[in-house]
PDB file of all heavy atoms in Angstrom:
ATOM      1  N   VAL O   1     -11.720  14.294  19.737  1.00 95.00           N
ATOM      2  CA  VAL O   1     -10.352  13.722  19.645  1.00 95.00           C
ATOM      3  C   VAL O   1     -10.187  13.067  21.067  1.00 95.00           C
ATOM      4  O   VAL O   1     -10.183  13.724  22.178  1.00 95.00           O
ATOM      5  CB  VAL O   1      -9.372  14.825  19.448  1.00 95.00           C
ATOM      6  CG1 VAL O   1      -7.910  14.301  19.684  1.00 95.00           C
ATOM      7  CG2 VAL O   1      -9.480  15.522  18.193  1.00 95.00           C
ATOM      8  N   TRP O   2      -9.943  11.718  21.085  1.00 91.00           N
ATOM      9  CA  TRP O   2      -9.898  10.921  22.195  1.00 91.00           C
ATOM     10  C   TRP O   2      -8.500  10.733  22.810  1.00 91.00           C
ATOM     11  O   TRP O   2      -8.251  10.577  23.919  1.00 91.00           O
ATOM     12  CB  TRP O   2     -10.531   9.597  22.109  1.00 91.00           C
ATOM     13  CG  TRP O   2     -11.958   9.531  21.714  1.00 91.00           C
ATOM     14  CD1 TRP O   2     -12.493   9.021  20.628  1.00 91.00           C
ATOM     15  CD2 TRP O   2     -12.960  10.133  22.547  1.00 91.00           C
ATOM     16  NE1 TRP O   2     -13.896   9.301  20.654  1.00 91.00           N
ATOM     17  CE2 TRP O   2     -14.254   9.837  21.832  1.00 91.00           C
ATOM     18  CE3 TRP O   2     -13.108  10.648  23.809  1.00 91.00           C
ATOM     19  CZ2 TRP O   2     -15.402  10.188  22.355  1.00 91.00           C
ATOM     20  CZ3 TRP O   2     -14.368  11.117  24.284  1.00 91.00           C
ATOM     21  CH2 TRP O   2     -15.572  10.782  23.492  1.00 91.00           C
ATOM     22  N   GLY O   3      -7.473  10.888  21.772  1.00 81.00           N
ATOM     23  CA  GLY O   3      -6.162  10.619  22.211  1.00 81.00           C
ATOM     24  C   GLY O   3      -5.117  11.275  21.261  1.00 81.00           C
ATOM     25  O   GLY O   3      -5.517  11.542  20.100  1.00 81.00           O
ATOM     26  N   ASP O   4      -4.002  11.653  21.688  1.00 81.00           N
ATOM     27  CA  ASP O   4      -2.968  12.199  20.719  1.00 81.00           C
ATOM     28  C   ASP O   4      -1.826  11.328  20.651  1.00 81.00           C
ATOM     29  O   ASP O   4      -0.886  11.647  19.862  1.00 81.00           O
ATOM     30  CB  ASP O   4      -2.586  13.615  21.186  1.00 81.00           C
ATOM     31  CG  ASP O   4      -1.920  13.712  22.645  1.00 81.00           C
ATOM     32  OD1 ASP O   4      -1.873  12.603  23.214  1.00 81.00           O
ATOM     33  OD2 ASP O   4      -1.655  14.809  23.040  1.00 81.00           O
ATOM     34  N   GLU O   5      -1.636  10.187  21.302  1.00 80.00           N
ATOM     35  CA  GLU O   5      -0.672   9.356  21.100  1.00 80.00           C
ATOM     36  C   GLU O   5      -1.086   7.821  21.233  1.00 80.00           C
ATOM     37  O   GLU O   5      -1.091   7.276  22.354  1.00 80.00           O
ATOM     38  CB  GLU O   5       0.506   9.609  22.074  1.00 80.00           C
ATOM     39  CG  GLU O   5       1.902   9.094  21.790  1.00 80.00           C
ATOM     40  CD  GLU O   5       2.359   9.308  20.346  1.00 80.00           C
ATOM     41  OE1 GLU O   5       2.379  10.583  19.832  1.00 80.00           O
ATOM     42  OE2 GLU O   5       2.817   8.350  19.603  1.00 80.00           O
ATOM     43  N   PRO O   6      -1.573   7.199  20.340  1.00 86.00           N
ATOM     44  CA  PRO O   6      -1.761   7.619  18.918  1.00 86.00           C
ATOM     45  C   PRO O   6      -2.977   8.486  18.822  1.00 86.00           C
ATOM     46  O   PRO O   6      -3.798   8.542  19.679  1.00 86.00           O
ATOM     47  CB  PRO O   6      -1.896   6.365  18.128  1.00 86.00           C
ATOM     48  CG  PRO O   6      -2.588   5.487  19.111  1.00 86.00           C
ATOM     49  CD  PRO O   6      -2.088   5.775  20.497  1.00 86.00           C
ATOM     50  N   VAL O   7      -3.041   9.291  17.821  1.00 93.00           N
ATOM     51  CA  VAL O   7      -4.269  10.207  17.400  1.00 93.00           C
ATOM     52  C   VAL O   7      -5.393   9.381  17.164  1.00 93.00           C
ATOM     53  O   VAL O   7      -5.435   8.360  16.467  1.00 93.00           O
ATOM     54  CB  VAL O   7      -4.024  11.118  16.274  1.00 93.00           C
ATOM     55  CG1 VAL O   7      -5.097  11.910  16.031  1.00 93.00           C
ATOM     56  CG2 VAL O   7      -2.753  11.989  16.634  1.00 93.00           C
ATOM     57  N   SER O   8      -6.442   9.435  18.047  1.00 95.00           N
ATOM     58  CA  SER O   8      -7.739   8.796  17.716  1.00 95.00           C
ATOM     59  C   SER O   8      -8.760   9.805  17.895  1.00 95.00           C
ATOM     60  O   SER O   8      -8.869  10.650  18.749  1.00 95.00           O
ATOM     61  CB  SER O   8      -7.706   7.685  18.820  1.00 95.00           C
ATOM     62  OG  SER O   8      -7.815   8.094  20.131  1.00 95.00           O
ATOM     63  N   VAL O   9      -9.869   9.485  17.175  1.00 96.00           N
ATOM     64  CA  VAL O   9     -11.173  10.286  17.087  1.00 96.00           C
ATOM     65  C   VAL O   9     -12.326   9.219  17.139  1.00 96.00           C
ATOM     66  O   VAL O   9     -12.127   8.121  16.997  1.00 96.00           O
ATOM     67  CB  VAL O   9     -11.178  11.141  15.711  1.00 96.00           C
ATOM     68  CG1 VAL O   9     -10.044  12.147  15.763  1.00 96.00           C
ATOM     69  CG2 VAL O   9     -11.193  10.260  14.607  1.00 96.00           C
ATOM     70  N   GLY O  10     -13.379   9.916  17.455  1.00 95.00           N
ATOM     71  CA  GLY O  10     -14.598   9.125  17.435  1.00 95.00           C
ATOM     72  C   GLY O  10     -15.914   9.993  17.679  1.00 95.00           C
ATOM     73  O   GLY O  10     -15.737  11.099  18.075  1.00 95.00           O
ATOM     74  N   PRO O  11     -17.090   9.457  17.292  1.00 94.00           N
ATOM     75  CA  PRO O  11     -18.370  10.216  17.601  1.00 94.00           C
ATOM     76  C   PRO O  11     -18.440  10.456  18.998  1.00 94.00           C
ATOM     77  O   PRO O  11     -18.300   9.604  19.923  1.00 94.00           O
ATOM     78  CB  PRO O  11     -19.360   9.206  16.997  1.00 94.00           C
ATOM     79  CG  PRO O  11     -18.693   8.064  16.306  1.00 94.00           C
ATOM     80  CD  PRO O  11     -17.187   8.003  16.864  1.00 94.00           C
ATOM     81  N   PRO O  12     -18.883  11.721  19.441  1.00 94.00           N
ATOM     82  CA  PRO O  12     -19.029  11.990  20.790  1.00 94.00           C
ATOM     83  C   PRO O  12     -20.036  11.212  21.381  1.00 94.00           C
ATOM     84  O   PRO O  12     -20.067  10.988  22.623  1.00 94.00           O
ATOM     85  CB  PRO O  12     -19.522  13.520  20.761  1.00 94.00           C
ATOM     86  CG  PRO O  12     -19.461  13.887  19.294  1.00 94.00           C
ATOM     87  CD  PRO O  12     -19.137  12.707  18.483  1.00 94.00           C
ATOM     88  N   SER O  13     -20.998  10.596  20.705  1.00 93.00           N
ATOM     89  CA  SER O  13     -22.056   9.672  21.227  1.00 93.00           C
ATOM     90  C   SER O  13     -21.666   8.318  21.579  1.00 93.00           C
ATOM     91  O   SER O  13     -22.336   7.607  22.221  1.00 93.00           O
ATOM     92  CB  SER O  13     -23.248   9.732  20.232  1.00 93.00           C
ATOM     93  OG  SER O  13     -22.846   9.169  19.027  1.00 93.00           O
ATOM     94  N   GLN O  14     -20.484   8.077  21.090  1.00 93.00           N
ATOM     95  CA  GLN O  14     -19.861   6.823  21.406  1.00 93.00           C
ATOM     96  C   GLN O  14     -18.400   6.847  21.918  1.00 93.00           C
ATOM     97  O   GLN O  14     -17.354   6.630  21.251  1.00 93.00           O
ATOM     98  CB  GLN O  14     -19.812   5.936  20.046  1.00 93.00           C
ATOM     99  CG  GLN O  14     -21.135   5.527  19.628  1.00 93.00           C
ATOM    100  CD  GLN O  14     -20.928   4.860  18.267  1.00 93.00           C
ATOM    101  OE1 GLN O  14     -20.665   5.326  17.215  1.00 93.00           O
ATOM    102  NE2 GLN O  14     -21.496   3.539  18.329  1.00 93.00           N
ATOM    103  N   PRO O  15     -18.275   7.284  23.243  1.00 91.00           N
ATOM    104  CA  PRO O  15     -16.918   7.624  23.708  1.00 91.00           C
ATOM    105  C   PRO O  15     -16.040   6.285  23.884  1.00 91.00           C
ATOM    106  O   PRO O  15     -14.923   6.478  24.113  1.00 91.00           O
ATOM    107  CB  PRO O  15     -17.247   8.124  25.201  1.00 91.00           C
ATOM    108  CG  PRO O  15     -18.709   7.793  25.469  1.00 91.00           C
ATOM    109  CD  PRO O  15     -19.376   7.605  24.151  1.00 91.00           C
ATOM    110  N   ASP O  16     -16.659   5.160  23.654  1.00 92.00           N
ATOM    111  CA  ASP O  16     -15.775   3.989  23.882  1.00 92.00           C
ATOM    112  C   ASP O  16     -15.301   3.422  22.408  1.00 92.00           C
ATOM    113  O   ASP O  16     -14.671   2.481  22.443  1.00 92.00           O
ATOM    114  CB  ASP O  16     -16.424   2.935  24.550  1.00 92.00           C
ATOM    115  CG  ASP O  16     -17.861   2.478  23.882  1.00 92.00           C
ATOM    116  OD1 ASP O  16     -18.404   3.310  23.138  1.00 92.00           O
ATOM    117  OD2 ASP O  16     -18.356   1.448  24.328  1.00 92.00           O
ATOM    118  N   VAL O  17     -15.642   4.226  21.419  1.00 93.00           N
ATOM    119  CA  VAL O  17     -15.157   3.891  20.010  1.00 93.00           C
ATOM    120  C   VAL O  17     -14.117   4.716  19.515  1.00 93.00           C
ATOM    121  O   VAL O  17     -14.129   5.945  19.704  1.00 93.00           O
ATOM    122  CB  VAL O  17     -16.453   3.892  18.991  1.00 93.00           C
ATOM    123  CG1 VAL O  17     -15.973   3.589  17.554  1.00 93.00           C
ATOM    124  CG2 VAL O  17     -17.414   2.938  19.328  1.00 93.00           C
ATOM    125  N   ARG O  18     -12.949   4.095  19.078  1.00 94.00           N
ATOM    126  CA  ARG O  18     -11.815   4.951  18.645  1.00 94.00           C
ATOM    127  C   ARG O  18     -11.493   4.564  17.141  1.00 94.00           C
ATOM    128  O   ARG O  18     -11.445   3.480  16.854  1.00 94.00           O
ATOM    129  CB  ARG O  18     -10.575   4.547  19.480  1.00 94.00           C
ATOM    130  CG  ARG O  18     -10.756   4.763  20.900  1.00 94.00           C
ATOM    131  CD  ARG O  18     -10.700   6.214  21.319  1.00 94.00           C
ATOM    132  NE  ARG O  18     -10.583   6.321  22.797  1.00 94.00           N
ATOM    133  CZ  ARG O  18     -11.574   6.409  23.595  1.00 94.00           C
ATOM    134  NH1 ARG O  18     -12.978   6.346  23.163  1.00 94.00           N
ATOM    135  NH2 ARG O  18     -11.475   6.633  24.915  1.00 94.00           N
ATOM    136  N   ILE O  19     -11.186   5.665  16.443  1.00 95.00           N
ATOM    137  CA  ILE O  19     -10.709   5.481  15.015  1.00 95.00           C
ATOM    138  C   ILE O  19      -9.265   6.095  15.239  1.00 95.00           C
ATOM    139  O   ILE O  19      -9.065   7.270  15.376  1.00 95.00           O
ATOM    140  CB  ILE O  19     -11.546   6.271  13.989  1.00 95.00           C
ATOM    141  CG1 ILE O  19     -13.006   5.790  13.991  1.00 95.00           C
ATOM    142  CG2 ILE O  19     -10.875   6.119  12.588  1.00 95.00           C
ATOM    143  CD1 ILE O  19     -13.874   6.587  13.150  1.00 95.00           C
ATOM    144  N   VAL O  20      -8.251   5.177  15.041  1.00 94.00           N
ATOM    145  CA  VAL O  20      -6.972   5.580  15.224  1.00 94.00           C
ATOM    146  C   VAL O  20      -6.459   6.088  13.789  1.00 94.00           C
ATOM    147  O   VAL O  20      -6.517   5.390  12.835  1.00 94.00           O
ATOM    148  CB  VAL O  20      -5.927   4.517  15.784  1.00 94.00           C
ATOM    149  CG1 VAL O  20      -4.604   4.912  15.904  1.00 94.00           C
ATOM    150  CG2 VAL O  20      -6.493   3.903  17.022  1.00 94.00           C
ATOM    151  N   LEU O  21      -5.943   7.276  13.776  1.00 94.00           N
ATOM    152  CA  LEU O  21      -5.380   7.723  12.465  1.00 94.00           C
ATOM    153  C   LEU O  21      -3.935   7.708  12.501  1.00 94.00           C
ATOM    154  O   LEU O  21      -3.250   8.155  13.384  1.00 94.00           O
ATOM    155  CB  LEU O  21      -5.869   9.414  12.466  1.00 94.00           C
ATOM    156  CG  LEU O  21      -7.221   9.658  12.548  1.00 94.00           C
ATOM    157  CD1 LEU O  21      -7.549  11.199  12.747  1.00 94.00           C
ATOM    158  CD2 LEU O  21      -8.021   8.961  11.416  1.00 94.00           C
ATOM    159  N   GLU O  22      -3.344   7.005  11.437  1.00 88.00           N
ATOM    160  CA  GLU O  22      -1.888   6.958  11.343  1.00 88.00           C
ATOM    161  C   GLU O  22      -1.461   6.815   9.877  1.00 88.00           C
ATOM    162  O   GLU O  22      -2.262   6.489   9.093  1.00 88.00           O
ATOM    163  CB  GLU O  22      -1.477   5.783  12.073  1.00 88.00           C
ATOM    164  CG  GLU O  22      -1.991   4.384  11.614  1.00 88.00           C
ATOM    165  CD  GLU O  22      -1.469   3.192  12.277  1.00 88.00           C
ATOM    166  OE1 GLU O  22      -1.017   3.331  13.579  1.00 88.00           O
ATOM    167  OE2 GLU O  22      -1.357   2.172  11.803  1.00 88.00           O
ATOM    168  N   PRO O  23      -0.243   7.222   9.563  1.00 81.00           N
ATOM    169  CA  PRO O  23       0.425   7.092   8.287  1.00 81.00           C
ATOM    170  C   PRO O  23       0.253   5.670   7.760  1.00 81.00           C
ATOM    171  O   PRO O  23       0.319   4.640   8.541  1.00 81.00           O
ATOM    172  CB  PRO O  23       1.831   7.486   8.379  1.00 81.00           C
ATOM    173  CG  PRO O  23       1.835   8.032   9.780  1.00 81.00           C
ATOM    174  CD  PRO O  23       0.878   7.557  10.655  1.00 81.00           C
ATOM    175  N   PRO O  24       0.185   5.502   6.560  1.00 75.00           N
ATOM    176  CA  PRO O  24       0.109   4.138   5.820  1.00 75.00           C
ATOM    177  C   PRO O  24       1.233   3.315   6.198  1.00 75.00           C
ATOM    178  O   PRO O  24       2.431   3.701   6.169  1.00 75.00           O
ATOM    179  CB  PRO O  24       0.169   4.433   4.334  1.00 75.00           C
ATOM    180  CG  PRO O  24      -0.249   5.817   4.143  1.00 75.00           C
ATOM    181  CD  PRO O  24       0.213   6.463   5.450  1.00 75.00           C
ATOM    182  N   GLY O  25       0.996   2.067   6.698  1.00 65.00           N
ATOM    183  CA  GLY O  25       2.107   1.142   7.118  1.00 65.00           C
ATOM    184  C   GLY O  25       2.797   1.350   8.346  1.00 65.00           C
ATOM    185  O   GLY O  25       3.797   0.867   8.639  1.00 65.00           O
ATOM    186  N   ALA O  26       2.338   2.432   9.235  1.00 69.00           N
ATOM    187  CA  ALA O  26       2.895   2.806  10.346  1.00 69.00           C
ATOM    188  C   ALA O  26       2.914   1.555  11.395  1.00 69.00           C
ATOM    189  O   ALA O  26       1.998   0.841  11.535  1.00 69.00           O
ATOM    190  CB  ALA O  26       2.242   3.935  11.004  1.00 69.00           C
ATOM    191  N   ASP O  27       4.098   1.402  12.124  1.00 61.00           N
ATOM    192  CA  ASP O  27       4.185   0.397  13.190  1.00 61.00           C
ATOM    193  C   ASP O  27       3.727  -1.066  12.796  1.00 61.00           C
ATOM    194  O   ASP O  27       3.341  -1.832  13.551  1.00 61.00           O
ATOM    195  CB  ASP O  27       3.368   0.795  14.373  1.00 61.00           C
ATOM    196  CG  ASP O  27       3.921   2.190  14.947  1.00 61.00           C
ATOM    197  OD1 ASP O  27       5.142   2.241  14.835  1.00 61.00           O
ATOM    198  OD2 ASP O  27       3.172   2.904  15.372  1.00 61.00           O
ATOM    199  N   ARG O  28       3.924  -1.337  11.488  1.00 63.00           N
ATOM    200  CA  ARG O  28       3.562  -2.685  11.029  1.00 63.00           C
ATOM    201  C   ARG O  28       4.653  -3.530  10.474  1.00 63.00           C
ATOM    202  O   ARG O  28       4.454  -4.619   9.933  1.00 63.00           O
ATOM    203  CB  ARG O  28       2.330  -2.527  10.053  1.00 63.00           C
ATOM    204  CG  ARG O  28       1.167  -2.106  10.589  1.00 63.00           C
ATOM    205  CD  ARG O  28      -0.063  -2.172   9.517  1.00 63.00           C
ATOM    206  NE  ARG O  28      -1.077  -1.445  10.035  1.00 63.00           N
ATOM    207  CZ  ARG O  28      -1.897  -0.659   9.313  1.00 63.00           C
ATOM    208  NH1 ARG O  28      -1.631  -0.551   7.963  1.00 63.00           N
ATOM    209  NH2 ARG O  28      -2.839  -0.034   9.762  1.00 63.00           N
ATOM    210  N   GLY O  29       5.903  -2.957  10.631  1.00 75.00           N
ATOM    211  CA  GLY O  29       7.057  -3.536   9.926  1.00 75.00           C
ATOM    212  C   GLY O  29       6.902  -3.624   8.501  1.00 75.00           C
ATOM    213  O   GLY O  29       7.399  -4.556   7.798  1.00 75.00           O
ATOM    214  N   ALA O  30       6.111  -2.731   7.897  1.00 76.00           N
ATOM    215  CA  ALA O  30       5.902  -2.865   6.349  1.00 76.00           C
ATOM    216  C   ALA O  30       7.109  -2.202   5.688  1.00 76.00           C
ATOM    217  O   ALA O  30       7.791  -1.450   5.963  1.00 76.00           O
ATOM    218  CB  ALA O  30       4.695  -1.782   6.098  1.00 76.00           C
ATOM    219  N   SER O  31       7.395  -3.012   4.499  1.00 80.00           N
ATOM    220  CA  SER O  31       8.614  -2.611   3.728  1.00 80.00           C
ATOM    221  C   SER O  31       8.230  -1.418   2.813  1.00 80.00           C
ATOM    222  O   SER O  31       6.929  -1.104   2.835  1.00 80.00           O
ATOM    223  CB  SER O  31       8.879  -3.742   2.814  1.00 80.00           C
ATOM    224  OG  SER O  31       7.870  -3.928   1.809  1.00 80.00           O
ATOM    225  N   PRO O  32       9.121  -0.828   2.211  1.00 80.00           N
ATOM    226  CA  PRO O  32       8.747   0.410   1.195  1.00 80.00           C
ATOM    227  C   PRO O  32       7.881  -0.043   0.275  1.00 80.00           C
ATOM    228  O   PRO O  32       7.021   0.715  -0.143  1.00 80.00           O
ATOM    229  CB  PRO O  32      10.193   0.781   0.827  1.00 80.00           C
ATOM    230  CG  PRO O  32      11.168   0.426   1.809  1.00 80.00           C
ATOM    231  CD  PRO O  32      10.640  -0.849   2.442  1.00 80.00           C
ATOM    232  N   ALA O  33       8.050  -1.144  -0.221  1.00 83.00           N
ATOM    233  CA  ALA O  33       7.091  -1.632  -1.301  1.00 83.00           C
ATOM    234  C   ALA O  33       5.739  -1.941  -0.776  1.00 83.00           C
ATOM    235  O   ALA O  33       4.626  -1.680  -1.609  1.00 83.00           O
ATOM    236  CB  ALA O  33       7.682  -2.975  -1.876  1.00 83.00           C
ATOM    237  N   GLU O  34       5.617  -2.332   0.392  1.00 80.00           N
ATOM    238  CA  GLU O  34       4.287  -2.569   1.100  1.00 80.00           C
ATOM    239  C   GLU O  34       3.644  -1.187   1.279  1.00 80.00           C
ATOM    240  O   GLU O  34       2.427  -1.018   1.108  1.00 80.00           O
ATOM    241  CB  GLU O  34       4.417  -3.342   2.238  1.00 80.00           C
ATOM    242  CG  GLU O  34       4.712  -4.865   2.030  1.00 80.00           C
ATOM    243  CD  GLU O  34       5.209  -5.580   3.153  1.00 80.00           C
ATOM    244  OE1 GLU O  34       5.762  -5.088   4.174  1.00 80.00           O
ATOM    245  OE2 GLU O  34       4.959  -6.856   3.166  1.00 80.00           O
ATOM    246  N   ARG O  35       4.468  -0.207   1.769  1.00 77.00           N
ATOM    247  CA  ARG O  35       3.890   1.078   2.081  1.00 77.00           C
ATOM    248  C   ARG O  35       3.452   1.716   0.721  1.00 77.00           C
ATOM    249  O   ARG O  35       2.357   2.371   0.604  1.00 77.00           O
ATOM    250  CB  ARG O  35       4.921   1.966   2.807  1.00 77.00           C
ATOM    251  CG  ARG O  35       5.030   1.614   4.185  1.00 77.00           C
ATOM    252  CD  ARG O  35       5.910   2.729   4.956  1.00 77.00           C
ATOM    253  NE  ARG O  35       5.991   2.399   6.260  1.00 77.00           N
ATOM    254  CZ  ARG O  35       7.068   1.778   6.801  1.00 77.00           C
ATOM    255  NH1 ARG O  35       7.993   1.279   6.085  1.00 77.00           N
ATOM    256  NH2 ARG O  35       6.956   1.474   8.182  1.00 77.00           N
TER     257      ARG O  35
END
């Protein structure tokens, strides 16, 4: 776990790679229909 705001994870062998985990449509200005 590389960060908690936003939550990000990645392989320990690649400390410079982040997979950010977030709810569908988060922080994208997505409408309810898009979500």
Side-chain angles (χ1 to χ4, degrees):
V1 178
W2 298 120
D4 59 359
E5 196 55 45
V7 174
S8 63
V9 297
S13 62
Q14 294 179 290
D16 57 342
V17 172
R18 304 285 190 271
I19 300 169
V20 179
L21 306 174
E22 67 179 19
D27 298 325
R28 295 186 189 142
S31 70
E34 291 166 331
R35 284 191 177 97

